[in-house]
Amino acid sequence: MKIKQQKQIKAFLIEEFRKDRGSVLFDEQEKVLNTIIKNTKNKSKNQMKTLISTILPRIALYKVLSKSGFTEDVVYEHMRKYMLDKVAAKKHASTAKMELIPGFYALYSNITLKIMRTTDLQESEQTHGKNYFNLTIKKCLWHTACVENGCAELCRLFCDVDNVTYGSLKKIGFTRTKTLGYGGDCCDFHFFKK
């Protein structure tokens, strides 16, 4: 199975650990990923697609680094570097480019709210007004996957990716006071037109 995320993970591991060690770590990560995918049960087709393309490769990377003799702090720093410098930076750049579209805020808020009302990736409540929209997420696939795979602490980095993705945008503001990943009872996203 070809997973786009894997190319980015392999490049990151080689960049961090040089070719020989990075390649060994990547081979291990692929084995762990395949095992995790095989053991993931009771998910919809849409959930499995998201798990395989984005969430599980990162969980597998975390698990392999955790078993490679690094301290917990060093593992977390490597994961933080990958998640923020590679994943989040790319997502932020993509979102910032989309802001160039005329009427971006209206498009973005309408599409996001429609997706949140129909997706099975999260359980959420939405409210909105002319210049804002709120998403209160009570359950999300990212948090569930981390918990189910014994690495609930990794979910904090998925939350941190949102901070980078939506931070410093020109047309949309973003705040949040709590997340499931940081131990909150929900993720309280607040987006507003700048």
Side-chain angles (χ1 to χ4, degrees):
M1 168 182 350
K2 198 86 168 148
I3 302 170
K4 192 174 169 183
Q5 178 87 196
Q6 289 299 91
K7 186 176 178 181
Q8 185 184 50
I9 288 173
K10 183 175 186 178
F12 173 76
L13 288 170
I14 289 171
E15 181 182 302
E16 284 293 293
F17 302 104
R18 301 188 191 271
K19 187 164 177 48
D20 290 344
R21 181 127 193 246
S23 295
V24 168
L25 288 169
F26 179 71
D27 290 345
E28 283 300 310
Q29 186 267 354
E30 283 208 305
K31 288 178 197 167
V32 170
L33 175 58
N34 288 329
T35 300
I36 293 171
I37 291 170
K38 190 175 78 178
N39 292 333
T40 301
K41 306 286 186 229
N42 302 316
K43 304 294 185 216
S44 71
K45 185 176 179 181
N46 185 46
Q47 289 170 334
M48 281 306 294
K49 181 180 174 188
T50 300
L51 284 163
I52 291 168
S53 66
T54 63
I55 303 170
L56 298 181
R58 296 167 191 166
I59 289 174
L61 176 60
Y62 181 70
K63 288 184 165 294
V64 165
L65 292 175
S66 296
K67 292 189 289 183
S68 296
F70 299 114
T71 65
E72 195 175 304
D73 288 345
V74 170
V75 170
Y76 197 78
E77 281 310 307
H78 283 299
M79 286 303 300
R80 184 170 177 77
K81 185 174 184 181
Y82 173 69
M83 296 286 282
L84 298 187
D85 295 353
K86 304 297 180 188
V87 176
K90 187 174 179 181
K91 286 180 75 174
H92 175 78
S94 174
T95 307
K97 272 187 196 172
M98 288 189 295
E99 280 194 302
L100 299 174
I101 298 168
F104 172 75
Y105 175 81
L107 286 169
Y108 191 80
S109 62
N110 286 334
I111 290 168
T112 300
L113 287 166
K114 183 177 180 179
I115 289 169
M116 293 304 287
R117 283 191 293 270
T118 59
T119 187
D120 65 350
L121 302 182
Q122 295 103 356
E123 292 176 10
S124 68
E125 297 171 359
Q126 311 85 35
T127 58
H128 61 92
K130 184 178 178 186
N131 294 318
Y132 77 91
F133 65 99
N134 299 318
L135 307 170
T136 303
I137 299 173
K138 309 269 182 153
K139 182 178 180 181
C140 86
L141 189 61
W142 289 258
H143 181 255
T144 301
C146 288
V147 170
E148 287 177 351
N149 285 284
C151 55
E153 69 281 2
L154 179 61
C155 191
R156 295 185 307 242
L157 289 175
F158 285 102
C159 300
D160 293 346
V161 166
D162 293 334
N163 295 335
V164 174
T165 300
Y166 301 114
S168 305
L169 292 173
K170 291 180 172 64
K171 295 182 179 178
I172 293 181
F174 163 74
T175 61
R176 195 171 51 186
T177 64
K178 56 188 172 179
T179 68
L180 295 165
Y182 276 97
D185 60 343
C186 67
C187 302
D188 60 346
F189 289 81
H190 173 65
F191 293 92
F192 55 94
K193 185 176 182 178
K194 285 186 172 179

